[in-house]
């Protein structure tokens, strides 16, 4: 079906005064005595193309004005008569491709995001989702470009695993075994399972990412991770997109530098490539968003150690729901206080107590903390978790034993420390959380296609 993209018709002057074919869905329409207007959208741009139907040619245009129906229009692109300039299309012929009855749920101009969540298959046709998913696409491509142009190898790590990277007990089990009351023990049950052992959906590609970094130097993964966290929050989904770079010959300060450079770089790309979308979010969702993003590109991120952060939080003139003591995990309220009230920009918290972090992190000389870094962003909280990795076999083994881990599933990982071990580090970016930060959308369920959350598969 030969036709022009509406984004091109709107922006490319070579269409002016030319006969052109466009296809799209009717977003709004209005009828008057001599002409009727259709705002047509084909998904390629947030802006609609206004199609003008002259009543001399279209005596009864009512079939073309029905919200949600799909049309093919042949017409001439002409300068717009409206006060906003631009172009519109004067229609010659119109064909209805698909009708749309009045029960089409997107009749009103504005719906709440909560309502739209109940129609995930149709909500994408609303302006908000047109903008969210374009920003998402541009940011994904910008991340790829960032790493591709710096000699990182894009690797695809397995999604089914026998090991637990984060050790937080949040793994979904993978099984083909039916419930069988005859089975005597767990061991017997899993021996008969598909892989002959217990297996899970991966919470992170990091462990395999480290394997790759020890061969290719710099790698990144970008794919889904799965977490069976029972937290029903605006920041958690059970299936999220995870970008995980891993870098050989890198220590914690290098990891911080890469994170900051990467975030600034991709936000800059979004500002360049999605000006209309970001202006839309600034107007409708987060006033000041553009200023926030422009400042981000130019300001140095904050850096604070966990120990210093605890002191700041203890002195804070705020009633936290969760009390603060050295050793406690930072809650969202603490993270947001640091990023929003104290630093007013993204801030790294480094060197967390080893007890609240995973086994693989490099142990600091103090014997109490590890070389971890979380990046906290205003409005969202943690968007990145990373660290330098423990490269010393004996220390790593000790950390795993302290945690009571069985070593079977980690033999290959441990061998990396035996054969040419090097200082290395990496991080995991929660891609949806970056989208939340970049768009000002406050609920993670509105930046992913079909959210999977506790008690519900949308
Ligand atoms: O901090 P996390 O647990 O770190 C890791 O998984 C490391 N293995 C990463 C690495 O060093 N390669 O997760 C990384 C990020 C978090 O900062 C958060 O942005 C995101 O993943 N994340 C989630 N996003 C949405 N829903 C969830 N349930 C998430 N859990 C983590
Ligand atoms: Mg984390």
């Amino acid at each position: 079906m030969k036709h022009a993209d509406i984004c091109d018709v709107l922006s490319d002057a070579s269409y002016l005064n030319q006969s052109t074919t466009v296809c799209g869905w009717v977003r709004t329409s209005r009828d008057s005595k001599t002409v009727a207007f259709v705002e047509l959208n084909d998904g390629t741009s947030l802006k609609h193309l206004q199609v003008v139907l002259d009543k001399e040619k279209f005596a009864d245009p009512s079939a073309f004005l029905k919200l949600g129906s799909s049309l093919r229009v042949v017409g001439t692109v002409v300068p717009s008569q409206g006060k906003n300039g631009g172009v519109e299309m004067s229609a010659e012929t119109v064909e209805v491709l698909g009708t749309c009855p009045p029960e089409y749920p997107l009749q009103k101009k504005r719906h709440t995001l909560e309502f739209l969540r109940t129609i995930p298959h149709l909500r994408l046709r609303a302006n908000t989702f047109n903008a969210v998913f374009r920003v998402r696409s541009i940011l994904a491509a910008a991340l790829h470009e960032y790493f591709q142009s710096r000699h990182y190898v894009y690797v695809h790590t397995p999604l089914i695993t026998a090991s637990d990277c984060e050790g937080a007990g949040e793994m979904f089990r993978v099984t083909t075994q039916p419930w069988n009351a005859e089975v005597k023990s767990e061991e017997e049950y899993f021996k008969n399972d598909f892989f002959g052992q217990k297996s899970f959906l991966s919470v992170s590609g990091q462990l395999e990412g480290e394997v790759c970094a020890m061969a290719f130097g710099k790698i990144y993964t970008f794919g889904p991770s799965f977490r069976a966290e029972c937290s029903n929050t605006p920041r958690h989904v059970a299936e999220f997109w995870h970008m995980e770079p891993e870098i050989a010959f890198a220590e914690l300060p290098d990891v911080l530098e890469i994170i900051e450079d990467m975030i600034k770089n991709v936000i800059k790309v979004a500002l360049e490539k999605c000006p209309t979308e970001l202006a839309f979010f600034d107007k409708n969702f987060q006033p000041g968003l553009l200023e926030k993003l422009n400042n981000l590109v130019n300001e140095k991120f904050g850096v604070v150690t966990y120990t210093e952060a605890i002191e700041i939080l203890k002195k804070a003139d705020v009633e936290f729901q969760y009390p603060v003591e050295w050793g406690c995990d930072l809650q969202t309220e603490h993270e947001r206080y640091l990023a929003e009230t104290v630093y007013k920009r993204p801030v790294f918290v480094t060197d967390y107590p080893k007890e609240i972090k995973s086994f693989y992190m490099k142990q600091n000389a103090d014997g109490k903390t590890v070389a971890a870094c979380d990046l906290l962003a205003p409005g969202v909280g943690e968007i990145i978790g990373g660290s330098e990795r423990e490269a010393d076999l004996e220390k790593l083994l000790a950390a795993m034993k302290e945690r009571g881990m069985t070593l079977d599933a980690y033999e290959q990982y441990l061998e990396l420390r035996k054969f040419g071990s090097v200082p290395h580090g990496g991080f995991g970016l929660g891609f949806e959380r970056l989208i939340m930060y970049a768009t000002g959308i406050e609920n993670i369920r509105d930046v992913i296609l079909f959210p999977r959350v506790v008690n519900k598969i949308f």
Side-chain angles (χ1 to χ4, degrees), residues 392-417:
D392 181 282
L393 180 60
E394 293 311 316
K395 286 187 184 164
L396 182 59
L397 277 170
M400 293 174 83
K401 284 179 188 147
E402 244 172 57
R403 286 168 173 78
M405 294 169 65
T406 44
L407 303 185
D408 309 2
Y410 302 88
E411 268 172 31
Q412 298 170 359
Y413 183 74
L414 288 164
E415 280 204 348
L416 300 179
R417 276 68 182 168

Side-chain angles (χ1 to χ4, degrees), residues 165-166 170 203-207 210 221 225-229 231 235-246 357-358 360-361 373-375 380-387 389 425-434 444:
C165 178
E166 292 308 305
E170 292 164 343
V203 296
S204 159
Q206 179 196 322
L207 302 186
E210 286 187 48
T221 69
S225 282
F226 305 89
R227 302 218 177 161
E229 284 160 296
S231 34
R235 318 185 310 145
H236 291 90
V237 276
E239 178 182 293
F240 69 98
W241 280 72
H242 205 176
M243 167 157 281
E244 296 184 275
E246 193 68 35
K357 289 291 183 191
S358 194
Y360 54 71
M361 294 192 181
C373 62
D374 278 6
L375 181 67
V380 185
E382 177 189 339
I383 64 173
I384 285 176
S387 75
R389 318 307 189 189
F427 61 91
L429 163 71
F431 186 50
E432 284 76 24
R433 297 205 182 156
L434 175 66
I444 195 165

Side-chain angles (χ1 to χ4, degrees), residues 327-392:
C328 75
D329 209 353
L330 297 184
Q331 302 295 326
T332 302
E333 56 174 350
H334 307 136
E335 296 178 345
R336 293 189 58 173
Y337 177 80
L338 289 168
E340 286 160 31
T341 310
V342 183
Y343 286 89
K344 299 185 173 61
R345 60 197 152 103
V347 54
F348 289 107
V349 179
T350 67
D351 304 291
Y352 282 77
K354 63 178 183 190
E355 286 79 12
I356 58 171
K357 289 291 183 191
S358 194
F359 71 96
Y360 54 71
M361 294 192 181
K362 184 182 164 68
Q363 297 156 39
N364 287 332
D366 63 12
K368 291 192 293 194
T369 61
V370 285
C373 62
D374 278 6
L375 181 67
L376 315 181
V380 185
E382 177 189 339
I383 64 173
I384 285 176
S387 75
E388 186 177 338
R389 318 307 189 189
E390 184 50 77
D392 181 282

Side-chain angles (χ1 to χ4, degrees), residues 308-327:
E308 290 161 351
I310 291 294
E311 288 312 308
I312 294 172
L313 292 167
K314 275 184 160 173
K315 288 193 198 120
D317 196 13
V318 196
E319 270 298 309
F320 290 120
Q321 190 191 338
Y322 295 90
V324 182
E325 262 324 310
W326 198 96

Side-chain angles (χ1 to χ4, degrees), residues 210-340:
E210 286 187 48
V211 169
C212 300
M214 294 303 114
F216 311 138
K218 301 196 278 188
I219 64 93
Y220 69 101
T221 69
F222 194 10
S225 282
F226 305 89
R227 302 218 177 161
E229 284 160 296
C230 277
S231 34
N232 209 341
T233 78
R235 318 185 310 145
H236 291 90
V237 276
E239 178 182 293
F240 69 98
W241 280 72
H242 205 176
M243 167 157 281
E244 296 184 275
E246 193 68 35
I247 310 108
F249 317 110
E251 294 165 320
L252 187 65
D254 304 306
V255 174
L256 264 57
E257 203 178 303
I258 294 163
I259 293 174
E260 181 162 348
D261 190 50
M262 173 196 80
I263 294 280
K264 287 181 170 172
N265 215 285
V266 300
I267 292 293
K268 216 188 280 173
V269 172
L271 282 164
E272 279 160 21
K273 295 201 172 169
C274 302
T276 318
E277 287 78 8
L278 296 178
F280 170 87
F281 293 121
D282 188 298
K283 180 160 172 252
N284 297 297
F285 287 94
Q286 192 179 85
L289 176 79
L290 285 171
E291 193 187 348
K292 175 187 90 173
L293 297 178
N294 278 306
N295 288 344
L296 170 105
V297 172
N298 299 313
E299 273 178 354
K300 196 97 190 92
F301 290 1
V303 186
V304 64
T305 65
Y306 169 90
T307 303
E308 290 161 351
I310 291 294
E311 288 312 308
I312 294 172
L313 292 167
K314 275 184 160 173
K315 288 193 198 120
D317 196 13
V318 196
E319 270 298 309
F320 290 120
Q321 190 191 338
Y322 295 90
V324 182
E325 262 324 310
W326 198 96
C328 75
D329 209 353
L330 297 184
Q331 302 295 326
T332 302
E333 56 174 350
H334 307 136
E335 296 178 345
R336 293 189 58 173
Y337 177 80
L338 289 168
E340 286 160 31

